[in-house]
Amino acid sequence: MPDTPSNATPTPGAYAESSIRVLKGLEPVRQRPGMYTRTDNPLHVVQEVLDNAADEALAGYGKRIRLTLHRDGSVSVEDEGRGIPHGLHPEEQAPVLELVFTRLHAGGKFDKGSGGAYSFSGGLHGVGVSVSNALASRLEVSSYRAGQVARMVFADGAVLEPLSLQAAPAGARKQGTTVRLWPDPKYFDTAALPLAELQHLLRSKAVLLPGLSVSLIQEASGETLHWQYQGGLRDYLLQSLPAEPLIPLFEGSGYADAGHESFAEGEGAAWAVAFTEEGATLRESYVNLIPTSAGGTHDSGLRDGLYQAVKGFIELHALLPKGVRLLPEDVYARASYVLSAKVLDPQFQGQIKERLNSRDALRLVGSVLRPALELWLNQHVAHGKKLAELVIRAAQNRQKAAQKVEKRKGSGVAVLPGKLTDCESRELARNELFLVEGDSAGGSAKMGRDKECQAVLPLRGKVLNTWEVERERLYANTEIHDIAVAIGVDPHGLADQADLSGLRYGKVCILADADVDGAHIQVLLLTLFLRHFPRLVEAGHVYVARPPLYRVDVPARGKKPAAKAYALDEGELEAILDKCAKDGLARDKCSISRFKGLGEMNAEQLWDTTLNPDTRRLLPVQLGALDWLQTEARIGQLMGKGEAAARRALMERAGDAVAVDF
């Protein structure tokens, strides 16, 4: 019987060459919008347009941005920038205006430095407004440039009206871009924009660019809001603080010059910091005008700079009482701040850019803030002593609370497991327990950890699937017994009044290999916590550590020394190699190593990539779109012994969304 030709139409259920589908253009975004943007509402797709306008102002072009909420549900953004170029791209032979809105990874912000169109910008991935276009039922763009106005219209991400050019009408602005888009409701939980978040976003642009005029026009109500801050960060922080500052505001800025050894010209930060004795704290950070609501390495740099400067002042003036030890949180606890960092090539976590991951940003911000605060404190000694009193009082209160916890635990009868390498501190908020896969990885973790506040419990092999194990029989399993005794909390159900007073660690972190086996161990441990320790999850005490899968050794380049970079997955690996290529280093000159497991890492590598609070990736375990009952039903479907048919149906329906690691 002859073989079936490769181009024959496959029978239903068959797997043939024609089964492979290639998503083109904006189709990936429209099929998986959650990978590219927030889908609870359209704010982020509007923000991408707004960020482009702000990047023009940051580059020194234009002093006005206007956003209009139209009656028909559309949103328009107008700026006075240079206008998007509309001629033909020299390589693609298509209008640049069309490429910007219809091609992923097409933009003017990849080339950084003096040779690029933008020295500093929030744009990094090159998918911004193309995602906005992909998820809009209609988008209109007009670019005013060189006395002409270029106009294009898109529908469902595709060109509806091709590029048209005409002379700019009399009285029209000389340059700038206007984008009007109609977000498609089918991609979002709600089509309504959160007005409070939008206003905060617009106000922040005015705060970070003193003198920039930002307006919000609401056609339905006829209301117009306007923001302009000549005093920048200082004015904004003083207006927003819920309580009077203990000492005058500490504000300043610092940027690298052309001859700086470690950072590019213009990189640095501006800040305003206030200390209050009571009330809520205000903490906002930005990178190249992009709000980073989840913080990141620039926040860590500010925290480290504050701590080192205040600690140095206290030691210089011999203000610290005997027996009191200062920690960073003692200084940071009552600090409110607004931080605006400028980073040449920012690396964000995810497409919506909520957290900055650039490791150099920690050193960048700390190196400019610390000397400035040290100088300020020693020029204002009376204010410095007031701040020192506040910080020392916080340290004393923390130590008293830790002593109370220690006494309460001293009468316990449970014997800690012998495999547990405990930490020295007894402060719940600081202590962390890492549940580590295997003795080899446990050894590296023990050597690389912070002995003061990080404990390690190695686990042997894969933990028991406890989804259908009766609670009374859990302690029969040695590994689960050791976990329960180490964390100091008994197994319980969601309906139980669980006693968390014996909890010994503020963070219980699952640390497994970055491969498929490691993912399986993660799932088994998550099943244990969700089923038998739900109150720990509900209270936010359970985390998953994300170690890297690849190490890239980058050789020395001129004055730049050799360096190591780490990638969580293939996507980050490609980004690192692309960055090396842009820096003039051939990809094949970089040495790529894949970690077979955590045990291959030495202590220093494990600390730098996975244990160090300032540089690690630590994900909190929390409920997503499903509530507790729905989550239990879903986990039961995945982990229950009698749910094989349901699992098979799930894999048939959604298996193509999973990338298999062989």
Side-chain angles (χ1 to χ4, degrees), residues 563-596:
K564 290 183 176 62
Y566 299 92
L568 292 182
D569 50 33
E570 293 280 353
E572 289 195 0
L573 176 62
E574 285 300 313
I576 291 170
L577 295 176
D578 286 346
K579 184 177 185 300
C580 291
K582 289 172 187 173
D583 289 343
L585 182 66
R587 294 163 67 104
D588 57 359
K589 297 292 184 183
C590 299
S591 175
I592 302 170
S593 305
R594 173 172 170 141
F595 292 109
K596 293 180 181 177

PDB file of all heavy atoms in Angstrom, residues 563-596:
ATOM      1  N   ALA A 563      31.071  39.413  31.559  1.00  0.00           N
ATOM      2  CA  ALA A 563      29.908  39.418  32.437  1.00  0.00           C
ATOM      3  C   ALA A 563      29.118  38.130  32.260  1.00  0.00           C
ATOM      4  O   ALA A 563      29.292  37.402  31.281  1.00  0.00           O
ATOM      5  CB  ALA A 563      29.017  40.630  32.143  1.00  0.00           C
ATOM      6  N   LYS A 564      28.273  37.867  33.239  1.00  0.00           N
ATOM      7  CA  LYS A 564      27.364  36.720  33.179  1.00  0.00           C
ATOM      8  C   LYS A 564      25.936  37.229  33.208  1.00  0.00           C
ATOM      9  O   LYS A 564      25.615  38.160  33.944  1.00  0.00           O
ATOM     10  CB  LYS A 564      27.602  35.771  34.357  1.00  0.00           C
ATOM     11  CG  LYS A 564      28.922  35.014  34.305  1.00  0.00           C
ATOM     12  CD  LYS A 564      29.026  34.048  35.480  1.00  0.00           C
ATOM     13  CE  LYS A 564      30.300  33.211  35.396  1.00  0.00           C
ATOM     14  NZ  LYS A 564      31.509  34.033  35.462  1.00  0.00           N
ATOM     15  N   ALA A 565      25.070  36.618  32.406  1.00  0.00           N
ATOM     16  CA  ALA A 565      23.649  36.957  32.398  1.00  0.00           C
ATOM     17  C   ALA A 565      22.853  35.670  32.536  1.00  0.00           C
ATOM     18  O   ALA A 565      23.304  34.597  32.129  1.00  0.00           O
ATOM     19  CB  ALA A 565      23.266  37.688  31.109  1.00  0.00           C
ATOM     20  N   TYR A 566      21.675  35.770  33.106  1.00  0.00           N
ATOM     21  CA  TYR A 566      20.850  34.596  33.354  1.00  0.00           C
ATOM     22  C   TYR A 566      19.480  34.788  32.720  1.00  0.00           C
ATOM     23  O   TYR A 566      18.929  35.886  32.706  1.00  0.00           O
ATOM     24  CB  TYR A 566      20.698  34.355  34.857  1.00  0.00           C
ATOM     25  CG  TYR A 566      22.010  34.100  35.552  1.00  0.00           C
ATOM     26  CD1 TYR A 566      22.726  35.153  36.123  1.00  0.00           C
ATOM     27  CD2 TYR A 566      22.547  32.818  35.638  1.00  0.00           C
ATOM     28  CE1 TYR A 566      23.935  34.933  36.754  1.00  0.00           C
ATOM     29  CE2 TYR A 566      23.754  32.593  36.272  1.00  0.00           C
ATOM     30  CZ  TYR A 566      24.445  33.650  36.827  1.00  0.00           C
ATOM     31  OH  TYR A 566      25.637  33.433  37.444  1.00  0.00           O
ATOM     32  N   ALA A 567      18.927  33.688  32.185  1.00  0.00           N
ATOM     33  CA  ALA A 567      17.633  33.737  31.506  1.00  0.00           C
ATOM     34  C   ALA A 567      16.721  32.658  32.078  1.00  0.00           C
ATOM     35  O   ALA A 567      17.142  31.516  32.289  1.00  0.00           O
ATOM     36  CB  ALA A 567      17.804  33.530  29.996  1.00  0.00           C
ATOM     37  N   LEU A 568      15.462  33.039  32.307  1.00  0.00           N
ATOM     38  CA  LEU A 568      14.494  32.074  32.828  1.00  0.00           C
ATOM     39  C   LEU A 568      14.052  31.084  31.766  1.00  0.00           C
ATOM     40  O   LEU A 568      13.732  29.946  32.060  1.00  0.00           O
ATOM     41  CB  LEU A 568      13.260  32.805  33.368  1.00  0.00           C
ATOM     42  CG  LEU A 568      13.423  33.656  34.620  1.00  0.00           C
ATOM     43  CD1 LEU A 568      12.089  34.245  35.020  1.00  0.00           C
ATOM     44  CD2 LEU A 568      13.995  32.843  35.765  1.00  0.00           C
ATOM     45  N   ASP A 569      14.016  31.539  30.508  1.00  0.00           N
ATOM     46  CA  ASP A 569      13.472  30.690  29.452  1.00  0.00           C
ATOM     47  C   ASP A 569      14.096  31.086  28.111  1.00  0.00           C
ATOM     48  O   ASP A 569      14.983  31.939  28.042  1.00  0.00           O
ATOM     49  CB  ASP A 569      11.940  30.818  29.399  1.00  0.00           C
ATOM     50  CG  ASP A 569      11.467  32.273  29.376  1.00  0.00           C
ATOM     51  OD1 ASP A 569      12.196  33.111  28.792  1.00  0.00           O
ATOM     52  OD2 ASP A 569      10.404  32.565  29.920  1.00  0.00           O
ATOM     53  N   GLU A 570      13.577  30.461  27.049  1.00  0.00           N
ATOM     54  CA  GLU A 570      14.105  30.728  25.704  1.00  0.00           C
ATOM     55  C   GLU A 570      13.916  32.190  25.309  1.00  0.00           C
ATOM     56  O   GLU A 570      14.771  32.788  24.654  1.00  0.00           O
ATOM     57  CB  GLU A 570      13.377  29.824  24.700  1.00  0.00           C
ATOM     58  CG  GLU A 570      13.654  28.343  24.848  1.00  0.00           C
ATOM     59  CD  GLU A 570      14.982  27.929  24.211  1.00  0.00           C
ATOM     60  OE1 GLU A 570      15.608  28.762  23.539  1.00  0.00           O
ATOM     61  OE2 GLU A 570      15.367  26.779  24.416  1.00  0.00           O
ATOM     62  N   GLY A 571      12.765  32.766  25.691  1.00  0.00           N
ATOM     63  CA  GLY A 571      12.490  34.156  25.319  1.00  0.00           C
ATOM     64  C   GLY A 571      13.517  35.113  25.901  1.00  0.00           C
ATOM     65  O   GLY A 571      14.032  35.994  25.204  1.00  0.00           O
ATOM     66  N   GLU A 572      13.833  34.950  27.185  1.00  0.00           N
ATOM     67  CA  GLU A 572      14.823  35.822  27.809  1.00  0.00           C
ATOM     68  C   GLU A 572      16.217  35.555  27.244  1.00  0.00           C
ATOM     69  O   GLU A 572      17.032  36.470  27.121  1.00  0.00           O
ATOM     70  CB  GLU A 572      14.810  35.626  29.321  1.00  0.00           C
ATOM     71  CG  GLU A 572      13.575  36.195  29.995  1.00  0.00           C
ATOM     72  CD  GLU A 572      13.733  36.331  31.492  1.00  0.00           C
ATOM     73  OE1 GLU A 572      14.811  35.983  32.018  1.00  0.00           O
ATOM     74  OE2 GLU A 572      12.780  36.792  32.141  1.00  0.00           O
ATOM     75  N   LEU A 573      16.500  34.291  26.906  1.00  0.00           N
ATOM     76  CA  LEU A 573      17.799  33.968  26.300  1.00  0.00           C
ATOM     77  C   LEU A 573      17.968  34.708  24.977  1.00  0.00           C
ATOM     78  O   LEU A 573      19.027  35.311  24.720  1.00  0.00           O
ATOM     79  CB  LEU A 573      17.897  32.460  26.087  1.00  0.00           C
ATOM     80  CG  LEU A 573      19.162  31.961  25.375  1.00  0.00           C
ATOM     81  CD1 LEU A 573      20.403  32.281  26.184  1.00  0.00           C
ATOM     82  CD2 LEU A 573      19.067  30.463  25.098  1.00  0.00           C
ATOM     83  N   GLU A 574      16.928  34.703  24.149  1.00  0.00           N
ATOM     84  CA  GLU A 574      17.010  35.405  22.877  1.00  0.00           C
ATOM     85  C   GLU A 574      17.176  36.907  23.082  1.00  0.00           C
ATOM     86  O   GLU A 574      17.899  37.568  22.340  1.00  0.00           O
ATOM     87  CB  GLU A 574      15.741  35.120  22.051  1.00  0.00           C
ATOM     88  CG  GLU A 574      15.683  33.728  21.435  1.00  0.00           C
ATOM     89  CD  GLU A 574      16.842  33.477  20.486  1.00  0.00           C
ATOM     90  OE1 GLU A 574      17.119  34.364  19.649  1.00  0.00           O
ATOM     91  OE2 GLU A 574      17.492  32.423  20.621  1.00  0.00           O
ATOM     92  N   ALA A 575      16.489  37.450  24.105  1.00  0.00           N
ATOM     93  CA  ALA A 575      16.612  38.886  24.381  1.00  0.00           C
ATOM     94  C   ALA A 575      18.043  39.246  24.773  1.00  0.00           C
ATOM     95  O   ALA A 575      18.575  40.279  24.355  1.00  0.00           O
ATOM     96  CB  ALA A 575      15.633  39.282  25.490  1.00  0.00           C
ATOM     97  N   ILE A 576      18.696  38.389  25.575  1.00  0.00           N
ATOM     98  CA  ILE A 576      20.084  38.647  25.987  1.00  0.00           C
ATOM     99  C   ILE A 576      21.011  38.607  24.772  1.00  0.00           C
ATOM    100  O   ILE A 576      21.878  39.475  24.589  1.00  0.00           O
ATOM    101  CB  ILE A 576      20.523  37.614  27.046  1.00  0.00           C
ATOM    102  CG1 ILE A 576      19.765  37.847  28.354  1.00  0.00           C
ATOM    103  CG2 ILE A 576      22.026  37.699  27.287  1.00  0.00           C
ATOM    104  CD1 ILE A 576      19.954  36.744  29.371  1.00  0.00           C
ATOM    105  N   LEU A 577      20.824  37.597  23.913  1.00  0.00           N
ATOM    106  CA  LEU A 577      21.686  37.481  22.732  1.00  0.00           C
ATOM    107  C   LEU A 577      21.449  38.633  21.768  1.00  0.00           C
ATOM    108  O   LEU A 577      22.389  39.139  21.141  1.00  0.00           O
ATOM    109  CB  LEU A 577      21.416  36.142  22.037  1.00  0.00           C
ATOM    110  CG  LEU A 577      21.789  34.888  22.855  1.00  0.00           C
ATOM    111  CD1 LEU A 577      21.396  33.627  22.101  1.00  0.00           C
ATOM    112  CD2 LEU A 577      23.283  34.875  23.164  1.00  0.00           C
ATOM    113  N   ASP A 578      20.191  39.065  21.635  1.00  0.00           N
ATOM    114  CA  ASP A 578      19.884  40.217  20.773  1.00  0.00           C
ATOM    115  C   ASP A 578      20.575  41.471  21.294  1.00  0.00           C
ATOM    116  O   ASP A 578      21.104  42.279  20.517  1.00  0.00           O
ATOM    117  CB  ASP A 578      18.371  40.447  20.705  1.00  0.00           C
ATOM    118  CG  ASP A 578      17.668  39.401  19.850  1.00  0.00           C
ATOM    119  OD1 ASP A 578      18.363  38.671  19.108  1.00  0.00           O
ATOM    120  OD2 ASP A 578      16.436  39.298  19.930  1.00  0.00           O
ATOM    121  N   LYS A 579      20.562  41.646  22.618  1.00  0.00           N
ATOM    122  CA  LYS A 579      21.206  42.830  23.202  1.00  0.00           C
ATOM    123  C   LYS A 579      22.712  42.799  22.941  1.00  0.00           C
ATOM    124  O   LYS A 579      23.317  43.834  22.623  1.00  0.00           O
ATOM    125  CB  LYS A 579      20.925  42.883  24.700  1.00  0.00           C
ATOM    126  CG  LYS A 579      21.468  44.132  25.376  1.00  0.00           C
ATOM    127  CD  LYS A 579      21.098  44.168  26.859  1.00  0.00           C
ATOM    128  CE  LYS A 579      21.544  45.482  27.493  1.00  0.00           C
ATOM    129  NZ  LYS A 579      22.983  45.705  27.403  1.00  0.00           N
ATOM    130  N   CYS A 580      23.318  41.599  23.070  1.00  0.00           N
ATOM    131  CA  CYS A 580      24.753  41.482  22.781  1.00  0.00           C
ATOM    132  C   CYS A 580      25.036  41.834  21.318  1.00  0.00           C
ATOM    133  O   CYS A 580      26.020  42.516  21.007  1.00  0.00           O
ATOM    134  CB  CYS A 580      25.231  40.067  23.090  1.00  0.00           C
ATOM    135  SG  CYS A 580      25.241  39.663  24.857  1.00  0.00           S
ATOM    136  N   ALA A 581      24.157  41.366  20.415  1.00  0.00           N
ATOM    137  CA  ALA A 581      24.345  41.653  18.995  1.00  0.00           C
ATOM    138  C   ALA A 581      24.251  43.150  18.727  1.00  0.00           C
ATOM    139  O   ALA A 581      25.013  43.697  17.930  1.00  0.00           O
ATOM    140  CB  ALA A 581      23.303  40.886  18.173  1.00  0.00           C
ATOM    141  N   LYS A 582      23.326  43.836  19.417  1.00  0.00           N
ATOM    142  CA  LYS A 582      23.192  45.280  19.224  1.00  0.00           C
ATOM    143  C   LYS A 582      24.394  46.030  19.771  1.00  0.00           C
ATOM    144  O   LYS A 582      24.719  47.128  19.314  1.00  0.00           O
ATOM    145  CB  LYS A 582      21.917  45.774  19.903  1.00  0.00           C
ATOM    146  CG  LYS A 582      20.654  45.330  19.179  1.00  0.00           C
ATOM    147  CD  LYS A 582      19.426  45.673  19.990  1.00  0.00           C
ATOM    148  CE  LYS A 582      18.183  45.074  19.360  1.00  0.00           C
ATOM    149  NZ  LYS A 582      16.999  45.249  20.197  1.00  0.00           N
ATOM    150  N   ASP A 583      25.054  45.421  20.787  1.00  0.00           N
ATOM    151  CA  ASP A 583      26.255  46.039  21.344  1.00  0.00           C
ATOM    152  C   ASP A 583      27.501  45.729  20.521  1.00  0.00           C
ATOM    153  O   ASP A 583      28.618  46.056  20.930  1.00  0.00           O
ATOM    154  CB  ASP A 583      26.466  45.563  22.781  1.00  0.00           C
ATOM    155  CG  ASP A 583      25.436  46.137  23.726  1.00  0.00           C
ATOM    156  OD1 ASP A 583      24.776  47.123  23.364  1.00  0.00           O
ATOM    157  OD2 ASP A 583      25.300  45.601  24.841  1.00  0.00           O
ATOM    158  N   GLY A 584      27.289  45.045  19.372  1.00  0.00           N
ATOM    159  CA  GLY A 584      28.411  44.760  18.486  1.00  0.00           C
ATOM    160  C   GLY A 584      29.123  43.452  18.771  1.00  0.00           C
ATOM    161  O   GLY A 584      30.218  43.213  18.252  1.00  0.00           O
ATOM    162  N   LEU A 585      28.515  42.597  19.579  1.00  0.00           N
ATOM    163  CA  LEU A 585      29.141  41.322  19.921  1.00  0.00           C
ATOM    164  C   LEU A 585      28.379  40.199  19.230  1.00  0.00           C
ATOM    165  O   LEU A 585      27.180  40.051  19.412  1.00  0.00           O
ATOM    166  CB  LEU A 585      29.115  41.106  21.442  1.00  0.00           C
ATOM    167  CG  LEU A 585      29.779  39.831  21.947  1.00  0.00           C
ATOM    168  CD1 LEU A 585      31.270  39.860  21.684  1.00  0.00           C
ATOM    169  CD2 LEU A 585      29.511  39.663  23.447  1.00  0.00           C
ATOM    170  N   ALA A 586      29.074  39.431  18.411  1.00  0.00           N
ATOM    171  CA  ALA A 586      28.421  38.343  17.677  1.00  0.00           C
ATOM    172  C   ALA A 586      27.822  37.338  18.655  1.00  0.00           C
ATOM    173  O   ALA A 586      28.405  37.031  19.694  1.00  0.00           O
ATOM    174  CB  ALA A 586      29.423  37.648  16.754  1.00  0.00           C
ATOM    175  N   ARG A 587      26.653  36.806  18.281  1.00  0.00           N
ATOM    176  CA  ARG A 587      25.956  35.863  19.152  1.00  0.00           C
ATOM    177  C   ARG A 587      26.794  34.619  19.432  1.00  0.00           C
ATOM    178  O   ARG A 587      26.760  34.064  20.531  1.00  0.00           O
ATOM    179  CB  ARG A 587      24.612  35.467  18.526  1.00  0.00           C
ATOM    180  CG  ARG A 587      23.624  36.616  18.445  1.00  0.00           C
ATOM    181  CD  ARG A 587      22.493  36.285  17.466  1.00  0.00           C
ATOM    182  NE  ARG A 587      21.659  35.201  17.944  1.00  0.00           N
ATOM    183  CZ  ARG A 587      20.449  35.350  18.472  1.00  0.00           C
ATOM    184  NH1 ARG A 587      19.947  36.562  18.609  1.00  0.00           N
ATOM    185  NH2 ARG A 587      19.735  34.316  18.845  1.00  0.00           N
ATOM    186  N   ASP A 588      27.583  34.177  18.423  1.00  0.00           N
ATOM    187  CA  ASP A 588      28.348  32.946  18.618  1.00  0.00           C
ATOM    188  C   ASP A 588      29.557  33.156  19.538  1.00  0.00           C
ATOM    189  O   ASP A 588      30.234  32.188  19.909  1.00  0.00           O
ATOM    190  CB  ASP A 588      28.790  32.368  17.274  1.00  0.00           C
ATOM    191  CG  ASP A 588      29.622  33.353  16.459  1.00  0.00           C
ATOM    192  OD1 ASP A 588      29.837  34.488  16.938  1.00  0.00           O
ATOM    193  OD2 ASP A 588      30.060  32.998  15.365  1.00  0.00           O
ATOM    194  N   LYS A 589      29.859  34.396  19.902  1.00  0.00           N
ATOM    195  CA  LYS A 589      30.945  34.660  20.844  1.00  0.00           C
ATOM    196  C   LYS A 589      30.489  34.439  22.290  1.00  0.00           C
ATOM    197  O   LYS A 589      31.306  34.342  23.195  1.00  0.00           O
ATOM    198  CB  LYS A 589      31.440  36.106  20.694  1.00  0.00           C
ATOM    199  CG  LYS A 589      32.031  36.422  19.330  1.00  0.00           C
ATOM    200  CD  LYS A 589      33.337  35.674  19.083  1.00  0.00           C
ATOM    201  CE  LYS A 589      33.976  36.082  17.755  1.00  0.00           C
ATOM    202  NZ  LYS A 589      35.210  35.309  17.493  1.00  0.00           N
ATOM    203  N   CYS A 590      29.172  34.395  22.504  1.00  0.00           N
ATOM    204  CA  CYS A 590      28.633  34.197  23.842  1.00  0.00           C
ATOM    205  C   CYS A 590      28.523  32.703  24.126  1.00  0.00           C
ATOM    206  O   CYS A 590      28.046  31.943  23.284  1.00  0.00           O
ATOM    207  CB  CYS A 590      27.254  34.847  23.975  1.00  0.00           C
ATOM    208  SG  CYS A 590      27.264  36.630  23.719  1.00  0.00           S
ATOM    209  N   SER A 591      28.943  32.308  25.287  1.00  0.00           N
ATOM    210  CA  SER A 591      28.874  30.900  25.698  1.00  0.00           C
ATOM    211  C   SER A 591      27.595  30.672  26.476  1.00  0.00           C
ATOM    212  O   SER A 591      27.341  31.345  27.481  1.00  0.00           O
ATOM    213  CB  SER A 591      30.084  30.547  26.559  1.00  0.00           C
ATOM    214  OG  SER A 591      29.971  29.234  27.050  1.00  0.00           O
ATOM    215  N   ILE A 592      26.768  29.727  26.004  1.00  0.00           N
ATOM    216  CA  ILE A 592      25.465  29.468  26.613  1.00  0.00           C
ATOM    217  C   ILE A 592      25.515  28.128  27.342  1.00  0.00           C
ATOM    218  O   ILE A 592      25.907  27.113  26.776  1.00  0.00           O
ATOM    219  CB  ILE A 592      24.349  29.447  25.553  1.00  0.00           C
ATOM    220  CG1 ILE A 592      24.309  30.779  24.791  1.00  0.00           C
ATOM    221  CG2 ILE A 592      22.996  29.157  26.190  1.00  0.00           C
ATOM    222  CD1 ILE A 592      23.409  30.750  23.582  1.00  0.00           C
ATOM    223  N   SER A 593      25.128  28.142  28.608  1.00  0.00           N
ATOM    224  CA  SER A 593      25.065  26.914  29.404  1.00  0.00           C
ATOM    225  C   SER A 593      23.642  26.728  29.894  1.00  0.00           C
ATOM    226  O   SER A 593      23.004  27.690  30.316  1.00  0.00           O
ATOM    227  CB  SER A 593      26.011  26.987  30.607  1.00  0.00           C
ATOM    228  OG  SER A 593      27.326  27.277  30.199  1.00  0.00           O
ATOM    229  N   ARG A 594      23.161  25.493  29.826  1.00  0.00           N
ATOM    230  CA  ARG A 594      21.833  25.189  30.355  1.00  0.00           C
ATOM    231  C   ARG A 594      21.998  24.438  31.671  1.00  0.00           C
ATOM    232  O   ARG A 594      22.687  23.430  31.728  1.00  0.00           O
ATOM    233  CB  ARG A 594      21.029  24.354  29.371  1.00  0.00           C
ATOM    234  CG  ARG A 594      19.699  23.880  29.966  1.00  0.00           C
ATOM    235  CD  ARG A 594      18.826  23.216  28.930  1.00  0.00           C
ATOM    236  NE  ARG A 594      17.686  22.575  29.582  1.00  0.00           N
ATOM    237  CZ  ARG A 594      16.467  22.551  29.124  1.00  0.00           C
ATOM    238  NH1 ARG A 594      16.202  23.132  27.988  1.00  0.00           N
ATOM    239  NH2 ARG A 594      15.502  21.937  29.762  1.00  0.00           N
ATOM    240  N   PHE A 595      21.375  24.948  32.725  1.00  0.00           N
ATOM    241  CA  PHE A 595      21.459  24.287  34.014  1.00  0.00           C
ATOM    242  C   PHE A 595      20.580  23.032  34.002  1.00  0.00           C
ATOM    243  O   PHE A 595      19.395  23.097  33.715  1.00  0.00           O
ATOM    244  CB  PHE A 595      20.975  25.220  35.130  1.00  0.00           C
ATOM    245  CG  PHE A 595      21.877  26.390  35.371  1.00  0.00           C
ATOM    246  CD1 PHE A 595      21.484  27.669  35.006  1.00  0.00           C
ATOM    247  CD2 PHE A 595      23.119  26.231  35.959  1.00  0.00           C
ATOM    248  CE1 PHE A 595      22.299  28.756  35.220  1.00  0.00           C
ATOM    249  CE2 PHE A 595      23.947  27.313  36.181  1.00  0.00           C
ATOM    250  CZ  PHE A 595      23.536  28.577  35.795  1.00  0.00           C
ATOM    251  N   LYS A 596      21.183  21.891  34.300  1.00  0.00           N
ATOM    252  CA  LYS A 596      20.398  20.668  34.398  1.00  0.00           C
ATOM    253  C   LYS A 596      19.599  20.641  35.690  1.00  0.00           C
ATOM    254  O   LYS A 596      18.631  19.895  35.809  1.00  0.00           O
ATOM    255  CB  LYS A 596      21.326  19.452  34.326  1.00  0.00           C
ATOM    256  CG  LYS A 596      22.002  19.284  32.971  1.00  0.00           C
ATOM    257  CD  LYS A 596      22.908  18.069  32.965  1.00  0.00           C
ATOM    258  CE  LYS A 596      23.606  17.916  31.613  1.00  0.00           C
ATOM    259  NZ  LYS A 596      24.547  16.776  31.597  1.00  0.00           N
TER     260      LYS A 596
END
